Amino acid sequence: MDNRRANPQRWRIGAWLALGDGVLLAGGAALCALPLLAWALLPGAAALAGVALTLPALVSGVIMLRTPFSAPPDTREEGLPLRRDDAPGLFEALDGIRDAMAAPPLDAIYLDGEFNAAIRQHRRLGGKTRNVLWLGLPLLDMLSPSACRAILAHEYAHIAQRHGRYASRVYFARLQWQEVARRLDRRRRLSSAPLRLFVAWYVPRFLAVSLDFARQCEVQADAEAARVCGQPAMAEALSAMALQWRALRDAWPALLAASDPPRPYAALAARDALAAPADEAEARVWLHAALCATTADGDTHPSLADRLAALAADPARTLPWRRAAPTAAQAWLSGQRASLAARLDACCAAQSADEAAQVRQEREALTAQYHDLLRKRRIRALSADETARCAWLRCTLDDDVAGAALLAEDGLRLAPGHPALLAQLARCRQREGHPREAADLWLRVADHAGPEQLPSLRQLSLAALRAGDHALAEDYRRRADALQQSPPRADAADGYHPHDLSPAELGKLADTLDPLLRIATGAWLLRPAVGGRYRLLVLAREAALLRLIGRLTGEPSYLRRDCEQLLGRLLPRLRLDVEADIMAAGDPRLAWCVEQARVRRPA
């Protein structure tokens, strides 16, 4: 985004901001004036009745007048405050990056437990800004110094290019208008009908313009970081963040369980390597799956594929699949690394305890499910689906790979060719060190449409990469990508049923999704009949007026957009392997959304 493009874009957003604020001020003033007009224009008792009838308009008018001047969202600065004496190596690295970017100095630096880095600008009295950096210790503990330097250069670019404060203003305006839309949807009065009509027209268009600006800022920041740190370093940083975040997510339960009370950040600092990915081939398959994600209209950042394409990254480049050695934490924090990890563990002790308790509860729920299947097995023969589930639970809970393989083989004698049983046996053969047998089984699974088809294609691509057959690996990869990017089907052959979560698991899920459940008509969790990923279906709330406007303008409802944005933030927090979709009224998948599948807190 060069200056010739940036300036018209800012003028455009500025015009939309002025339009919105102008309508709020004019509309609010008009509503506030209604009681005065009623008193001035109506005679006697009619004037008193008119004032009484228009008092609700006065309340709405005051709310509208306050909205453009409402305080921005909470900007508390949380985390471990860092001083130069705490981490001189880190500050020296930051100084070098800031000088190279010609960026203003930072006013504060905080260390937190996120796998991320972010610089935010807060306006202060007198028109000055406060520049604050939040830096995640897990990010420093997983990535190389060159990758972290590129990520920090990207963040510095936001304030060096002077779009940081402007982007913050646009961000706060987005939140304010979304709150106005929600408030109007909750308080349906005749006096606010004209405002609701304007909001339904204005909010989707303002969001589209402002989110497009936010994505352009991210692309520009990537380009600036690539200019300073080099294009290979920026491409490595983006790829490493995607790969190492997945590796850390998979390892997090073990890090929480490494001590009591849990000290995951100290445990991460003490480990040299994580269990996965096992090699570059597995990392490349992970990356292929991540590259299938597309940029949605409600995203503030472009997708990984779009960002790498903008950098013209070489698809055949070597991937940073291993945990870096040395990591940025080892290089920049040196002797303070262990003490900072211990301080962060102390700071996040309550959160870590909650996460550890959730992991224990999930394991207890799986154990109860396993014992229930074993009791059923003593009474009667298990179905093919139950046998596949029982085999997976034995392998997961008891680490009994041989026993799980025997269960799957027994099930296949009764149900030859059952995809879930074949997939479970393939996983066992892979863990037993028989990759050729596993590949043959995955090949049989890939012929069956259903939840196991995509994992089987990814596993076949992995097997071909490890065997050195890159042409075959690319063929499987293209088939898997096409399947992953295809729209979900809603026919009976998919075989989805209500979820099988325990009350405790359902309660945890409902707590995590609570912000979404508050604004959606409903959410339902479904499980496939033959195993695989859960499907979360969310029905966005809609009003007749919004549907009419949508049919007239072709614009998606702002309520649907709110659901999409919340889903994007909440899905990474779920422990379940979930694929989510937003539905509208009339969606054929509503036939699956029975009361037993609804996501809600147990009574």
Side-chain angles (χ1 to χ4, degrees):
M1 186 174 64
D2 57 26
N3 290 334
R4 290 174 298 177
R5 186 177 179 184
N7 290 335
Q9 180 78 350
R10 291 196 179 193
W11 280 108
R12 186 183 178 197
I13 295 176
W16 279 98
L17 287 170
L19 173 64
D21 290 347
V23 169
L24 281 178
L25 293 173
L31 289 173
C32 289
L34 284 179
L36 296 176
L37 290 174
W39 179 261
L41 299 178
L42 296 177
L48 293 175
V51 170
L53 290 174
T54 55
L55 280 179
L58 176 64
V59 175
S60 298
V62 171
I63 293 173
M64 290 176 62
L65 290 174
R66 289 177 56 191
T67 299
F69 308 102
S70 60
D74 187 10
T75 54
R76 288 178 297 177
E77 298 177 3
E78 298 179 339
L80 287 178
L82 291 182
R83 299 183 301 272
R84 189 172 291 271
D85 293 341
D86 295 326
L90 172 62
F91 277 76
E92 183 179 348
L94 290 172
D95 290 341
I97 299 168
R98 182 174 67 84
D99 291 342
M101 300 296 296
L106 296 171
D107 296 293
I109 300 173
Y110 292 91
L111 196 68
D112 63 20
E114 301 296 322
F115 190 76
N116 195 19
I119 289 181
R120 302 175 195 165
Q121 288 188 316
H122 306 317
R123 184 176 300 191
R124 298 188 295 185
L125 294 176
K128 296 182 180 180
T129 57
R130 176 173 171 83
N131 301 314
V132 182
L133 169 66
W134 278 267
L135 189 56
L137 182 59
L139 186 78
L140 297 176
D141 244 329
M142 294 294 291
L143 271 57
S144 67
S146 61
C148 284
R149 190 174 288 109
I151 292 168
L152 291 169
H154 168 100
E155 295 302 324
Y156 268 116
H158 286 305
I159 56 176
Q161 296 298 316
R162 295 186 177 88
H163 64 233
R165 190 169 72 177
Y166 190 78
S168 295
R169 180 192 172 197
V170 175
Y171 168 72
F172 292 147
R174 271 203 312 271
L175 295 184
Q176 288 172 350
W177 276 107
Q178 287 172 322
E179 179 57 29
V180 169
R182 285 190 287 268
R183 187 183 302 149
L184 287 172
D185 186 63
R186 290 193 301 266
R187 302 174 181 176
R188 296 176 174 276
R189 298 188 179 94
L190 183 60
S191 60
S192 63
L195 180 59
R196 285 204 307 271
L197 184 63
F198 172 74
V199 167
W201 174 86
Y202 174 81
V203 170
R205 288 165 173 78
F206 174 67
L207 289 180
V209 172
S210 63
L211 289 170
D212 181 59
F213 170 72
R215 291 190 291 268
Q216 290 177 18
C217 289
E218 296 301 326
V219 172
Q220 183 190 19
D222 284 346
E224 286 298 304
R227 179 184 63 81
V228 171
C229 300
Q231 184 263 10
M234 190 63 218
E236 176 200 348
L238 293 175
S239 300
M241 283 195 74
L243 295 173
Q244 298 304 327
W245 176 83
R246 176 169 174 177
L248 184 60
R249 181 196 65 182
D250 293 348
W252 198 248
L255 295 174
L256 288 169
S259 62
D260 188 18
R263 299 183 181 88
Y265 303 107
L268 178 63
R271 294 198 180 192
D272 293 329
L274 302 181
D279 52 24
E280 185 175 352
E282 185 175 14
R284 197 165 290 279
V285 171
W286 284 10
L287 186 63
H288 293 164
L291 290 173
C292 285
T294 57
T295 303
D297 292 338
D299 289 342
T300 58
H301 288 62
S303 67
L304 176 63
D306 289 344
R307 296 178 74 175
L308 290 175
L311 290 172
D314 181 10
R317 68 190 181 282
T318 301
L319 293 182
W321 66 271
R322 291 186 180 91
R323 185 180 179 184
T327 64
Q330 291 171 326
W332 294 346
L333 303 180
S334 59
Q336 296 84 9
R337 181 185 177 207
S339 62
L340 287 173
R343 287 172 58 192
L344 188 60
D345 276 323
C347 181
C348 301
Q351 178 183 341
S352 297
D354 289 343
E355 292 176 353
Q358 181 177 348
V359 171
R360 286 195 300 271
Q361 290 170 3
E362 290 170 355
R363 186 175 181 86
E364 289 168 1
L366 290 177
T367 302
Q369 188 180 132
Y370 179 44
H371 291 163
D372 183 58
L373 286 172
L374 292 179
R375 282 193 297 269
K376 290 180 180 178
R377 189 166 178 250
R378 288 193 292 269
I379 299 170
R380 59 167 175 83
L382 297 179
S383 68
D385 294 329
E386 289 173 327
T387 302
R389 183 69 173 172
C390 190
W392 179 82
L393 289 169
R394 175 170 290 185
C395 190
T396 302
L397 298 173
D398 298 339
D399 201 27
D400 184 1
V401 180
L406 287 175
L407 271 176
E409 289 173 339
D410 289 342
L412 285 170
R413 292 189 188 97
L414 299 175
H418 191 275
L421 288 168
L422 289 171
Q424 184 55 45
L425 185 57
R427 295 185 184 99
C428 292
R429 293 290 181 254
Q430 187 73 40
R431 290 190 59 182
E432 289 172 338
H434 305 297
R436 295 183 66 87
E437 291 183 33
D440 290 340
L441 291 165
W442 286 123
L443 192 60
R444 293 171 62 187
V445 179
D447 292 333
H448 297 273
E452 295 290 357
Q453 188 175 26
L454 178 59
S456 67
L457 290 170
R458 294 293 184 202
Q459 289 294 327
L460 288 169
S461 179
L462 172 60
L465 282 173
R466 285 173 171 167
D469 193 339
H470 295 281
L472 183 60
E474 184 63 19
D475 179 62
Y476 286 129
R477 181 240 173 129
R478 289 175 179 170
R479 289 174 58 188
D481 289 353
L483 185 61
Q484 185 171 339
Q485 294 173 328
S486 62
R489 298 177 301 163
D491 52 53
D494 287 331
Y496 281 96
H497 303 298
H499 65 79
D500 54 357
L501 301 187
S502 68
E505 291 176 304
L506 182 61
K508 285 289 184 181
L509 179 63
D511 287 341
T512 303
L513 296 178
D514 181 66
L516 177 67
L517 299 179
R518 290 176 182 270
I519 68 169
T521 299
W524 295 265
L525 185 67
L526 306 168
R527 63 175 177 85
V530 292
R533 304 179 72 188
Y534 285 96
R535 175 71 62 83
L536 179 67
L537 299 181
V538 179
L539 179 60
R541 183 176 298 166
E542 290 187 356
L545 177 62
L546 296 182
R547 287 197 296 270
L548 175 61
I549 292 173
R551 285 194 292 268
L552 292 176
T553 65
E555 295 285 346
S557 164
Y558 66 85
L559 296 173
R560 179 186 179 91
R561 195 185 299 267
D562 286 351
C563 287
E564 291 173 346
Q565 292 178 343
L566 273 173
L567 265 179
R569 294 200 297 267
L570 297 176
L571 281 180
R573 305 178 188 177
L574 301 182
R575 301 294 307 173
L576 296 173
D577 187 12
V578 172
E579 179 181 359
D581 292 303
I582 304 289
M583 302 183 296
D587 193 300
R589 290 172 293 178
L590 285 170
W592 297 340
C593 299
V594 296
E595 194 61 25
Q596 299 94 317
R598 184 182 288 273
V599 177
R600 61 183 177 184
R601 293 182 182 87

Coordinates of all heavy atoms in Angstrom, one line a residue, residues 473-539:
A473 N 3.1 -36.8 -4.2 CA 2.7 -36.0 -3.0 C 1.9 -34.7 -3.4 O 0.9 -34.4 -2.8 CB 4.0 -35.6 -2.2
E474 N 2.3 -34.1 -4.5 CA 1.6 -32.9 -5.0 C 0.2 -33.3 -5.5 O -0.7 -32.5 -5.3 CB 2.4 -32.3 -6.1 CG 1.8 -31.0 -6.7 CD 1.8 -29.9 -5.6 OE1 2.5 -30.0 -4.6 OE2 1.0 -28.9 -5.8
D475 N 0.1 -34.4 -6.1 CA -1.3 -34.9 -6.6 C -2.2 -35.1 -5.4 O -3.3 -34.6 -5.4 CB -1.1 -36.2 -7.3 CG -2.5 -36.7 -7.8 OD1 -3.2 -36.0 -8.6 OD2 -2.9 -37.8 -7.4
Y476 N -1.7 -35.7 -4.3 CA -2.5 -35.9 -3.1 C -2.8 -34.6 -2.4 O -3.9 -34.3 -1.9 CB -1.9 -36.9 -2.1 CG -1.9 -38.3 -2.5 CD1 -0.8 -39.1 -2.6 CD2 -3.1 -38.9 -2.9 CE1 -0.8 -40.4 -2.9 CE2 -3.2 -40.3 -3.3 CZ -2.0 -41.0 -3.3 OH -2.1 -42.3 -3.6
R477 N -1.8 -33.7 -2.5 CA -2.0 -32.4 -1.8 C -3.1 -31.6 -2.5 O -3.9 -31.0 -1.9 CB -0.7 -31.6 -1.9 CG -0.8 -30.2 -1.2 CD -0.4 -29.1 -2.2 NE -0.7 -27.8 -1.6 CZ 0.2 -26.8 -1.6 NH1 1.4 -27.0 -2.2 NH2 -0.1 -25.7 -1.1
R478 N -3.1 -31.6 -3.9 CA -4.1 -30.9 -4.6 C -5.5 -31.5 -4.4 O -6.5 -30.7 -4.2 CB -3.8 -30.9 -6.1 CG -2.6 -30.1 -6.5 CD -2.3 -30.3 -8.0 NE -1.1 -29.4 -8.3 CZ -0.5 -29.5 -9.5 NH1 -0.9 -30.4 -10.4 NH2 0.5 -28.7 -9.8
R479 N -5.6 -32.8 -4.3 CA -6.9 -33.4 -4.0 C -7.4 -33.0 -2.6 O -8.6 -32.6 -2.3 CB -6.8 -34.9 -4.1 CG -6.7 -35.4 -5.5 CD -6.5 -36.9 -5.6 NE -7.6 -37.6 -4.9 CZ -7.6 -38.9 -4.7 NH1 -6.5 -39.6 -5.0 NH2 -8.6 -39.5 -4.1
A480 N -6.4 -33.0 -1.6 CA -6.8 -32.6 -0.2 C -7.2 -31.1 -0.2 O -8.1 -30.8 0.5 CB -5.6 -32.9 0.7
D481 N -6.4 -30.3 -0.8 CA -6.7 -28.8 -0.8 C -8.1 -28.6 -1.4 O -8.9 -27.8 -0.9 CB -5.7 -28.1 -1.6 CG -4.3 -28.0 -0.9 OD1 -4.2 -28.4 0.2 OD2 -3.4 -27.5 -1.6
A482 N -8.4 -29.2 -2.5 CA -9.7 -29.1 -3.1 C -10.8 -29.5 -2.2 O -11.9 -28.9 -2.1 CB -9.8 -29.8 -4.5
L483 N -10.6 -30.6 -1.5 CA -11.6 -31.1 -0.6 C -11.8 -30.2 0.6 O -12.9 -29.9 1.1 CB -11.2 -32.5 -0.1 CG -12.2 -33.2 0.8 CD1 -13.6 -33.4 0.0 CD2 -11.7 -34.6 1.2
Q484 N -10.6 -29.7 1.1 CA -10.7 -28.8 2.3 C -11.4 -27.4 2.0 O -12.1 -26.9 2.8 CB -9.3 -28.5 2.8 CG -9.2 -27.7 4.1 CD -7.9 -27.7 4.7 OE1 -7.0 -28.5 4.5 NE2 -7.6 -26.7 5.6
Q485 N -11.2 -27.0 0.7 CA -11.7 -25.7 0.3 C -13.1 -25.8 -0.3 O -13.7 -24.8 -0.6 CB -10.8 -25.0 -0.7 CG -9.5 -24.6 -0.1 CD -8.5 -24.1 -1.1 OE1 -8.5 -24.5 -2.3 NE2 -7.6 -23.2 -0.7
S486 N -13.6 -27.0 -0.4 CA -15.0 -27.1 -1.0 C -16.0 -26.8 0.0 O -15.8 -26.9 1.2 CB -15.2 -28.6 -1.5 OG -15.1 -29.5 -0.4
P487 N -17.2 -26.2 -0.4 CA -18.2 -25.8 0.6 C -18.8 -27.1 1.2 O -18.8 -28.1 0.6 CB -19.2 -25.1 -0.3 CG -19.0 -25.6 -1.7 CD -17.5 -25.9 -1.8
P488 N -19.2 -26.9 2.5 CA -19.8 -28.1 3.2 C -21.1 -28.6 2.5 O -21.9 -27.7 2.0 CB -20.0 -27.5 4.6 CG -20.2 -26.1 4.4 CD -19.2 -25.7 3.3
R489 N -21.2 -29.8 2.5 CA -22.5 -30.4 2.0 C -23.4 -30.7 3.1 O -23.1 -30.9 4.2 CB -22.2 -31.7 1.2 CG -21.3 -31.5 0.0 CD -21.0 -32.9 -0.6 NE -20.3 -33.8 0.4 CZ -20.2 -35.1 0.2 NH1 -20.8 -35.7 -0.8 NH2 -19.6 -35.8 1.2
A490 N -24.7 -30.7 2.8 CA -25.7 -30.9 3.8 C -26.7 -32.0 3.4 O -27.9 -31.9 3.5 CB -26.5 -29.6 4.0
D491 N -26.1 -33.1 2.9 CA -27.0 -34.2 2.5 C -26.9 -35.3 3.6 O -26.0 -35.3 4.4 CB -26.6 -34.8 1.1 CG -25.1 -35.1 1.0 OD1 -24.6 -35.9 1.9 OD2 -24.4 -34.6 0.1
A492 N -27.8 -36.2 3.5 CA -27.9 -37.3 4.5 C -26.7 -38.2 4.5 O -26.4 -38.8 5.5 CB -29.2 -38.1 4.3
A493 N -25.9 -38.2 3.4 CA -24.8 -39.1 3.3 C -23.7 -38.7 4.3 O -22.8 -39.5 4.6 CB -24.3 -39.2 1.9
D494 N -23.7 -37.4 4.7 CA -22.7 -37.0 5.6 C -22.8 -37.7 7.0 O -21.8 -37.8 7.7 CB -22.8 -35.5 5.8 CG -22.3 -34.7 4.6 OD1 -21.4 -35.3 3.9 OD2 -22.8 -33.6 4.3
G495 N -24.0 -38.0 7.3 CA -24.2 -38.8 8.5 C -23.9 -38.1 9.8 O -23.1 -38.7 10.6
Y496 N -24.3 -36.9 10.0 CA -24.0 -36.2 11.3 C -25.1 -36.5 12.3 O -26.3 -36.5 12.0 CB -23.9 -34.7 11.0 CG -22.6 -34.3 10.5 CD1 -22.4 -34.2 9.1 CD2 -21.5 -34.1 11.3 CE1 -21.1 -33.8 8.6 CE2 -20.2 -33.8 10.8 CZ -20.1 -33.6 9.4 OH -18.8 -33.3 8.9
H497 N -24.7 -36.6 13.6 CA -25.6 -36.9 14.7 C -25.3 -35.9 15.8 O -24.2 -35.2 15.8 CB -25.4 -38.3 15.2 CG -25.6 -39.3 14.1 ND1 -26.8 -39.5 13.4 CD2 -24.8 -40.2 13.5 CE1 -26.7 -40.4 12.5 NE2 -25.5 -40.9 12.6
P498 N -26.2 -35.8 16.8 CA -25.9 -34.9 17.9 C -24.6 -35.3 18.6 O -24.2 -36.5 18.6 CB -27.1 -35.1 18.9 CG -28.2 -35.5 17.9 CD -27.6 -36.3 16.8
H499 N -23.9 -34.3 19.2 CA -22.6 -34.6 19.9 C -22.8 -35.6 21.0 O -23.8 -35.9 21.5 CB -22.1 -33.3 20.5 CG -23.0 -32.7 21.6 ND1 -22.9 -33.2 22.9 CD2 -23.9 -31.7 21.6 CE1 -23.8 -32.5 23.6 NE2 -24.4 -31.7 22.9
D500 N -21.6 -36.1 21.4 CA -21.5 -37.2 22.4 C -20.8 -36.6 23.6 O -20.2 -37.4 24.4 CB -20.9 -38.4 21.9 CG -19.5 -38.2 21.3 OD1 -19.1 -37.0 21.2 OD2 -18.8 -39.1 20.8
L501 N -20.8 -35.3 23.8 CA -20.0 -34.8 25.0 C -20.7 -35.1 26.3 O -21.9 -35.1 26.4 CB -19.9 -33.2 24.8 CG -19.2 -32.7 23.5 CD1 -19.0 -31.2 23.6 CD2 -17.8 -33.4 23.3
S502 N -19.9 -35.2 27.3 CA -20.4 -35.3 28.7 C -21.0 -33.9 29.1 O -20.6 -32.9 28.6 CB -19.4 -35.8 29.6 OG -18.4 -34.8 29.8
P503 N -21.8 -33.9 30.2 CA -22.2 -32.6 30.7 C -21.1 -31.6 31.1 O -21.2 -30.4 30.8 CB -23.1 -33.0 31.9 CG -23.6 -34.4 31.6 CD -22.5 -35.0 30.9
A504 N -20.0 -32.2 31.6 CA -18.9 -31.3 32.0 C -18.2 -30.8 30.7 O -17.9 -29.6 30.7 CB -17.9 -32.1 32.8
E505 N -18.0 -31.6 29.7 CA -17.4 -31.1 28.5 C -18.3 -30.1 27.8 O -17.9 -29.1 27.3 CB -17.2 -32.3 27.5 CG -16.1 -33.2 27.9 CD -16.0 -34.4 27.0 OE1 -17.1 -35.1 26.8 OE2 -14.9 -34.7 26.5
L506 N -19.6 -30.3 27.8 CA -20.6 -29.4 27.2 C -20.6 -28.1 27.9 O -20.7 -27.0 27.3 CB -22.0 -30.0 27.2 CG -23.1 -29.2 26.5 CD1 -22.8 -28.9 25.0 CD2 -24.4 -29.9 26.6
G507 N -20.5 -28.1 29.2 CA -20.5 -26.9 30.0 C -19.2 -26.1 29.7 O -19.3 -24.8 29.6
K508 N -18.1 -26.7 29.6 CA -16.8 -26.0 29.2 C -17.0 -25.4 27.8 O -16.5 -24.3 27.6 CB -15.7 -27.0 29.3 CG -15.2 -27.4 30.6 CD -14.5 -26.2 31.3 CE -14.0 -26.6 32.7 NZ -13.3 -25.4 33.3
L509 N -17.5 -26.1 26.9 CA -17.7 -25.6 25.5 C -18.6 -24.4 25.6 O -18.3 -23.4 24.9 CB -18.2 -26.7 24.6 CG -18.5 -26.3 23.2 CD1 -17.2 -25.9 22.5 CD2 -19.2 -27.4 22.4
A510 N -19.7 -24.5 26.3 CA -20.7 -23.4 26.4 C -20.0 -22.1 27.0 O -20.3 -21.0 26.6 CB -21.9 -23.8 27.1
D511 N -19.2 -22.4 28.0 CA -18.5 -21.2 28.7 C -17.6 -20.5 27.7 O -17.5 -19.3 27.6 CB -17.7 -21.7 29.9 CG -18.6 -22.1 31.1 OD1 -19.8 -21.6 31.1 OD2 -18.2 -22.8 31.9
T512 N -16.8 -21.3 26.9 CA -15.9 -20.8 25.9 C -16.6 -20.0 24.9 O -16.2 -18.9 24.4 CB -15.0 -21.9 25.3 OG1 -14.4 -22.6 26.3 CG2 -14.0 -21.3 24.4
L513 N -17.8 -20.5 24.4 CA -18.5 -19.9 23.3 C -19.6 -18.9 23.8 O -20.4 -18.4 23.0 CB -19.2 -21.0 22.5 CG -18.3 -22.0 21.7 CD1 -19.2 -23.0 21.0 CD2 -17.4 -21.2 20.8
D514 N -19.5 -18.6 25.1 CA -20.6 -17.7 25.7 C -20.8 -16.4 24.9 O -21.9 -16.0 24.6 CB -20.3 -17.4 27.1 CG -21.4 -16.6 27.8 OD1 -22.5 -17.1 27.9 OD2 -21.1 -15.4 28.2
P515 N -19.7 -15.7 24.5 CA -19.9 -14.4 23.8 C -20.7 -14.7 22.5 O -21.5 -13.8 22.1 CB -18.5 -13.9 23.5 CG -17.7 -14.5 24.6 CD -18.3 -15.9 24.8
L516 N -20.4 -15.8 21.8 CA -21.1 -16.1 20.6 C -22.6 -16.5 20.8 O -23.5 -16.0 20.1 CB -20.4 -17.2 19.9 CG -21.0 -17.7 18.6 CD1 -21.0 -16.7 17.5 CD2 -20.3 -19.0 18.1
L517 N -22.8 -17.3 21.9 CA -24.2 -17.7 22.2 C -25.1 -16.5 22.5 O -26.3 -16.6 22.4 CB -24.1 -18.7 23.3 CG -23.4 -20.0 23.1 CD1 -23.4 -20.9 24.3 CD2 -23.9 -20.7 21.9
R518 N -24.5 -15.4 23.0 CA -25.3 -14.3 23.4 C -25.8 -13.5 22.2 O -26.9 -12.9 22.3 CB -24.4 -13.3 24.3 CG -24.1 -13.8 25.7 CD -23.2 -12.9 26.4 NE -22.8 -13.4 27.7 CZ -23.5 -13.1 28.8 NH1 -24.6 -12.4 28.7 NH2 -23.1 -13.6 30.0
I519 N -25.1 -13.6 21.1 CA -25.6 -12.8 19.9 C -26.2 -13.6 18.8 O -26.7 -13.1 17.9 CB -24.4 -11.9 19.4 CG1 -23.3 -12.8 18.7 CG2 -23.8 -11.0 20.4 CD1 -22.3 -12.0 17.9
A520 N -26.1 -15.0 18.9 CA -26.6 -15.9 17.9 C -27.9 -16.4 18.3 O -28.2 -16.5 19.5 CB -25.6 -17.0 17.6
T521 N -28.7 -16.8 17.3 CA -30.0 -17.5 17.7 C -29.7 -18.8 18.3 O -30.4 -19.2 19.2 CB -30.8 -17.7 16.4 OG1 -31.1 -16.4 15.8 CG2 -32.1 -18.4 16.6
G522 N -28.7 -19.6 17.9 CA -28.4 -20.8 18.5 C -27.1 -21.4 17.9 O -26.6 -21.0 16.9
A523 N -26.5 -22.4 18.6 CA -25.4 -23.1 18.1 C -25.6 -24.6 18.4 O -26.1 -24.9 19.5 CB -24.1 -22.6 18.7
W524 N -25.2 -25.4 17.5 CA -25.3 -26.9 17.6 C -24.1 -27.6 17.3 O -23.4 -27.2 16.3 CB -26.5 -27.4 16.7 CG -27.8 -26.8 17.0 CD1 -28.8 -27.4 17.8 CD2 -28.4 -25.6 16.6 NE1 -29.9 -26.6 17.9 CE2 -29.7 -25.5 17.2 CE3 -27.9 -24.5 15.8 CZ2 -30.5 -24.4 16.9 CZ3 -28.7 -23.4 15.6 CH2 -30.0 -23.3 16.2
L525 N -23.7 -28.6 18.1 CA -22.5 -29.3 17.8 C -22.9 -30.7 17.4 O -23.6 -31.4 18.1 CB -21.6 -29.4 19.1 CG -20.3 -30.1 19.0 CD1 -19.3 -29.3 18.1 CD2 -19.6 -30.4 20.3
L526 N -22.3 -31.1 16.2 CA -22.7 -32.4 15.6 C -21.4 -33.3 15.5 O -20.3 -32.7 15.4 CB -23.3 -32.2 14.2 CG -24.5 -31.3 14.2 CD1 -24.8 -30.9 12.8 CD2 -25.7 -31.9 14.9
R527 N -21.6 -34.6 15.6 CA -20.5 -35.5 15.4 C -20.8 -36.3 14.1 O -21.9 -36.7 13.9 CB -20.3 -36.4 16.6 CG -21.4 -37.3 16.9 CD -21.1 -38.3 18.0 NE -22.3 -39.1 18.3 CZ -22.6 -40.2 17.7 NH1 -21.8 -40.7 16.7 NH2 -23.7 -40.9 18.0
P528 N -19.7 -36.6 13.3 CA -19.9 -37.5 12.2 C -20.2 -38.9 12.6 O -19.6 -39.4 13.6 CB -18.7 -37.4 11.4 CG -17.6 -37.0 12.4 CD -18.3 -36.2 13.4
A529 N -21.0 -39.6 11.9 CA -21.3 -41.0 12.2 C -20.1 -41.9 12.2 O -20.0 -42.9 12.9 CB -22.4 -41.6 11.3
V530 N -19.1 -41.6 11.3 CA -18.0 -42.5 11.1 C -16.7 -41.9 11.7 O -15.6 -42.2 11.2 CB -17.8 -42.9 9.6 CG1 -18.9 -43.7 9.2 CG2 -17.7 -41.6 8.8
G531 N -16.8 -41.0 12.6 CA -15.6 -40.4 13.2 C -15.0 -39.2 12.4 O -15.4 -39.0 11.3
G532 N -14.2 -38.5 13.0 CA -13.6 -37.3 12.4 C -13.9 -36.0 13.1 O -14.2 -36.1 14.4
R533 N -13.9 -34.9 12.5 CA -14.0 -33.6 13.1 C -15.5 -33.3 13.5 O -16.4 -33.7 12.8 CB -13.5 -32.5 12.2 CG -12.1 -32.7 11.7 CD -11.7 -31.5 10.8 NE -11.5 -30.3 11.5 CZ -11.3 -29.1 10.9 NH1 -11.3 -29.1 9.5 NH2 -11.2 -28.0 11.6
Y534 N -15.7 -32.7 14.6 CA -17.0 -32.2 15.0 C -17.4 -31.0 14.0 O -16.5 -30.3 13.5 CB -17.0 -31.7 16.4 CG -17.0 -32.8 17.5 CD1 -15.8 -33.2 18.1 CD2 -18.2 -33.4 17.9 CE1 -15.8 -34.2 19.0 CE2 -18.2 -34.4 18.9 CZ -17.0 -34.7 19.4 OH -17.0 -35.7 20.4
R535 N -18.7 -30.8 13.9 CA -19.2 -29.7 13.1 C -20.0 -28.8 14.0 O -21.0 -29.3 14.6 CB -20.1 -30.3 12.0 CG -20.8 -29.2 11.1 CD -19.8 -28.4 10.3 NE -19.1 -29.2 9.3 CZ -19.7 -29.6 8.1 NH1 -20.9 -29.2 7.8 NH2 -19.0 -30.3 7.3
L536 N -19.6 -27.5 14.1 CA -20.3 -26.5 14.9 C -21.1 -25.7 13.9 O -20.6 -25.0 13.1 CB -19.4 -25.7 15.7 CG -20.0 -24.6 16.6 CD1 -20.8 -25.2 17.7 CD2 -18.9 -23.6 17.1
L537 N -22.4 -25.7 14.0 CA -23.3 -24.9 13.2 C -23.9 -23.8 14.0 O -24.5 -24.0 15.1 CB -24.4 -25.8 12.6 CG -24.0 -27.0 11.7 CD1 -25.2 -27.7 11.2 CD2 -23.1 -26.5 10.6
V538 N -23.8 -22.6 13.6 CA -24.2 -21.4 14.3 C -25.3 -20.7 13.4 O -25.0 -20.4 12.2 CB -23.1 -20.4 14.6 CG1 -23.6 -19.2 15.3 CG2 -22.0 -21.1 15.4
L539 N -26.4 -20.4 14.0 CA -27.5 -19.7 13.3 C -27.4 -18.3 13.7 O -27.7 -17.9 14.9 CB -28.9 -20.3 13.6 CG -30.1 -19.6 12.9 CD1 -29.9 -19.7 11.4 CD2 -31.4 -20.3 13.4

